[in-house]
Amino acid sequence: MTTLTHRSRRTELGRSSEKKPGDEEDAAADRDLNEDDPDDSKDIRLTLMEEVLLLGLKDKQGYTSFWNDCISSGLRGGILIELTLRGRIHLEPLSLRKKKLLERKVLLKSDAPTGDVLLDETLRHIKAAEAAETVQGWIELLTGETWNPFKLQYQLRNVRERIAKGLVEKGILTTEKQNFLLFDLTTHPVSNTTEKQRLVKKLQESVLGRWGNDPRRMERRILALLVLAHSSDVLENVFSGLAEEKYEEAMNRTKDLLELDPEVEAAKAPGGAEMIWAVLAAFNKS
């Protein structure tokens, strides 16, 4: 879908018996979001989708590149990874018949609400689906890229605008109206540049200062962000501010990471990381 180029998230004691099976596991998965990045002490918690959109937005103009036709699918891939990291979905186990990542179905693990509108809407779609779909299948359904008219109901609409509104509510973006000759466009310039700079710096340091040349040692959300930034064609925005030598080093290391075999890497790091590699495999095939 895109290519890597150079320069280019207590009940009361008397009610504890009312908990559904898996509630504690869901809560633990949500807590893991705060522990997955031990150096991240920010008060604002962003989803993977919000971080990808923030990376893709032009700070002053408040919109993504008009030439970027990958970010919509990238954001849907981010939804699948975010739901996996929150313990809501997972890939079906390996079997003799289904060994490849793109052959394995996405299964519902828990339909407990996440508190995020897009994530919860996707959960309802996955729960309501008559037949389980693969990662690539769900990305296509969520973007509306399906030839089956009976499955258009699974499309997530106005995703960028809904994510942007969430970032406005968190004080990171603002909302403006800009005139583009024949029409007005709602834009979302970055108002909290510190948050975006923190995100960019975190990704830069993961590739330069903390590089271990082993995906299994990377924080899952960092690995996911690199995969999604690449798949959404916004990776250039992460490294463009670096000096030439550091830029080349960061791009080459990321290129090496993203050219690893997803099948091999997923087998080495089962669990949440499987979905990350499955999303990468889906975009590599597209």
Side-chain angles (χ1 to χ4, degrees), residues 10-29:
R10 205 187 254 199
T11 61
E12 296 177 3
L13 292 176
R15 299 177 58 189
S16 60
S17 60
E18 299 177 9
K19 290 183 179 179
K20 296 180 182 179
D23 279 354
E24 293 182 0
E25 185 178 352
D26 297 335

Side-chain angles (χ1 to χ4, degrees), residues 2-283:
T2 183
T3 57
L4 183 65
T5 58
H6 280 57
R7 275 316 203 197
S8 330
R9 184 164 171 178
R10 205 187 254 199
T11 61
E12 296 177 3
L13 292 176
R15 299 177 58 189
S16 60
S17 60
E18 299 177 9
K19 290 183 179 179
K20 296 180 182 179
D23 279 354
E24 293 182 0
E25 185 178 352
D26 297 335
D30 288 334
R31 287 196 300 271
D32 284 345
L33 291 174
N34 300 336
E35 298 169 358
D36 205 30
D37 189 352
D39 295 330
D40 190 0
S41 59
K42 66 183 186 301
D43 294 325
I44 302 174
R45 290 286 167 183
L46 303 182
T47 65
L48 290 170
M49 306 87 73
E50 289 172 333
E51 291 179 319
V52 170
L53 182 63
L54 187 56
L55 291 172
L57 285 174
K58 299 174 184 292
D59 289 8
K60 294 182 179 180
Q61 294 91 334
Y63 51 81
T64 59
S65 171
F66 292 127
W67 309 109
N68 189 333
D69 59 353
C70 303
I71 194 168
S72 291
S73 297
L75 291 172
R76 271 70 170 188
I79 290 174
L80 295 179
I81 296 176
E82 186 76 43
L83 284 172
T84 303
L85 296 181
R86 295 191 184 213
R88 301 312 195 269
I89 62 175
H90 65 102
L91 288 178
E92 68 177 329
L94 283 166
S95 68
L96 292 176
R97 190 166 58 89
K98 295 181 179 180
K99 293 184 178 181
K100 294 184 178 297
L101 286 171
L102 296 185
E103 295 174 349
R104 295 159 63 187
K105 307 294 186 179
V106 175
L107 302 181
L108 185 68
K109 187 176 181 180
S110 168
D111 62 353
T114 66
D116 180 276
V117 176
L118 281 172
L119 294 179
D120 291 342
E121 183 177 339
T122 303
L123 270 182
R124 290 193 295 271
H125 286 330
I126 294 174
K127 183 179 180 180
E130 293 183 1
E133 297 281 349
T134 63
V135 170
Q136 187 171 14
W138 271 116
I139 291 176
E140 292 173 354
L141 290 174
L142 295 174
T143 55
E145 296 178 358
T146 175
W147 294 102
N148 189 337
F150 297 103
K151 292 188 176 183
L152 287 175
Q153 59 184 312
Y154 298 125
Q155 180 181 4
L156 295 179
R157 302 180 183 277
N158 304 316
V159 168
R160 263 182 272 191
E161 182 63 22
R162 292 159 75 182
I163 294 174
K165 286 182 178 180
L167 288 168
V168 170
E169 293 174 359
K170 293 179 180 180
I172 296 174
L173 304 181
T174 188
T175 302
E176 295 181 357
K177 287 282 188 181
Q178 292 191 34
N179 180 265
F180 287 83
L181 297 177
L182 300 177
F183 61 94
D184 289 331
L185 178 68
T186 300
T187 61
H188 298 283
V190 179
S191 56
N192 186 342
T193 56
T194 300
E195 182 63 21
K196 182 169 183 177
Q197 290 169 358
R198 181 203 64 78
L199 175 60
V200 170
K201 183 179 179 181
K202 180 173 67 173
L203 288 172
Q204 290 176 350
E205 289 182 347
S206 70
V207 174
L208 294 172
R210 302 179 184 177
W211 186 249
N213 200 28
D214 184 357
R216 289 174 294 176
R217 300 177 61 184
M218 295 185 71
E219 297 158 9
R220 290 178 302 172
R221 296 185 73 84
I222 291 292
L223 176 61
L225 269 175
L226 291 173
V227 166
L228 293 170
H230 160 62
S231 303
S232 303
D233 202 16
V234 300
L235 191 59
E236 163 73 13
N237 299 352
V238 176
F239 302 128
S240 60
L242 294 170
E244 187 68 28
E245 182 178 344
K246 290 295 184 182
Y247 172 86
E248 292 294 333
E249 182 179 4
M251 291 298 288
N252 285 332
R253 287 179 173 179
T254 308
K255 181 175 182 291
D256 291 341
L257 172 69
L258 297 172
E259 287 183 347
L260 293 172
D261 187 338
E263 301 285 350
V264 174
E265 298 306 317
K268 293 178 183 177
E274 278 190 316
M275 184 65 76
I276 299 173
W277 292 110
V279 167
L280 178 60
F283 284 110

